[in-house]
Amino acid sequence: SAVISQKPSRDICQRGTSLTIQCQVDSQVTMMFWYRQQPGQSLTLIATANQGSEATYESGFVIDKFPISRPNLTFSTLTVSNMSPEDSSIYLCSVESDGNTIYFGEGSWLTVV
Amino acid sequence: GENVEQHPSTLSVQEGDSAVIKCTYSDSASNYFPWYKQELGKRPQLIIDIRSNVGEKKDQRIAVTLNKTAKHFSLHITETQPEDSAVYFCAPREDTGRRALTFGSGTRLQVQP
């Protein structure tokens, strides 16, 4: 299985600011996914990030708000820009490994005040 | 895109009883059917999965059954224990193309001691 480290694990942010979340994997993976989980809700895919190409965003998510970098096969970042209280969520990085299995990082718990 | 419905949204059972959670999906191209367990404050963890060429898979007290014709699959937990209390998500996926998981709305399982 893949070991995924996310930073920060938790943060309290001022509205209007931006925060970058880092995701580091212990092995090379082709596909990385970023999910958002709002309080008490299910997981919603933000975007798919493949190394060497632009991230593919899901409906309702735009690059200006959630820019993503994928500089190599073990690392990705997600930035939450110009945050508002509605952005308070858990942001989860996930990767595909062991064939088809998708593993998740511990999540980054953001509270916007 | 894939529409996923999960029922029930909450389920309360007595310790030792069985629990069944059902997931219905819309995309006939889906061919990978995992179930994730998320404990409070933790990341989702894969507990069992099945592929479309298999009708049933069992792992100790947990089983998954698939009806591809009817486009639904179910999670079965037997001899439930208090540590089974968590939120369970189904997340069907197509192995080609998009490859991202589409999560159901979740089922909160409470096992009463």
Side-chain angles (χ1 to χ4, degrees), chain A residues 4 31 33 35 37 40-45 48 58 90 92 96 99-107 109, chain B residues 32 36 38 40-46 49 51 89-90 93 95 97-106 108:
Chain A
I4 306 167
M31 305 194 80
F33 308 94
Y35 284 85
Q37 187 174 28
Q41 302 297 310
S42 182
L43 285 78
T44 301
L45 181 68
T48 301
E58 296 298 300
I90 308 168
L92 292 139
E96 182 183 30
N100 294 99
T101 305
I102 292 187
Y103 298 95
F104 286 86
E106 310 99 317
W109 298 62
Chain B
Y32 175 65
Y36 284 81
Q38 188 176 33
L40 191 62
K42 302 281 183 65
R43 77 185 88 184
Q45 297 269 24
L46 177 71
D49 57 10
R51 301 200 141 278
F89 293 100
C90 64
R93 186 182 87 159
D95 267 358
R98 190 171 176 266
R99 301 186 73 83
L101 298 171
T102 302
F103 280 80
S105 53
R108 183 172 300 278

Side-chain angles (χ1 to χ4, degrees), chain B residues 5 8 14 28 30 37 42 49 51 59 65-66 106 111:
Chain B
E5 292 190 4
Q14 291 294 125
S28 55
S30 291
K37 175 183 180 182
K42 302 281 183 65
D49 57 10
R51 301 200 141 278
D59 182 3
T65 57
L66 171 66
V111 180

Side-chain angles (χ1 to χ4, degrees), chain B residues 21-40:
Chain B
I21 304 169
K22 184 175 178 179
C23 183
T24 304
Y25 61 97
S26 64
D27 189 351
S28 55
S30 291
N31 54 6
Y32 175 65
F33 307 95
W35 285 94
Y36 284 81
K37 175 183 180 182
Q38 188 176 33
E39 296 177 66
L40 191 62

Side-chain angles (χ1 to χ4, degrees), chain A residues 17-85:
Chain A
T17 63
S18 299
L19 183 79
T20 296
I21 302 166
Q22 299 180 5
C23 179
Q24 179 75 52
V25 190
D26 69 340
S27 58
Q28 294 185 339
V29 295
T30 302
M31 305 194 80
M32 296 179 79
F33 308 94
W34 286 98
Y35 284 85
R36 180 176 75 182
Q37 187 174 28
Q38 294 177 301
Q41 302 297 310
S42 182
L43 285 78
T44 301
L45 181 68
I46 297 172
T48 301
N50 292 337
Q51 192 264 339
S53 63
E54 293 280 338
T56 302
Y57 288 82
E58 296 298 300
S59 176
F61 297 96
V62 295
I63 187 170
D64 289 348
K65 176 67 175 177
F66 298 101
I68 288 171
S69 79
R70 181 79 202 273
N72 57 52
L73 290 173
T74 62
F75 187 78
S76 178
T77 66
L78 168 76
T79 299
V80 186
S81 303
N82 188 25
M83 285 186 284
S84 67

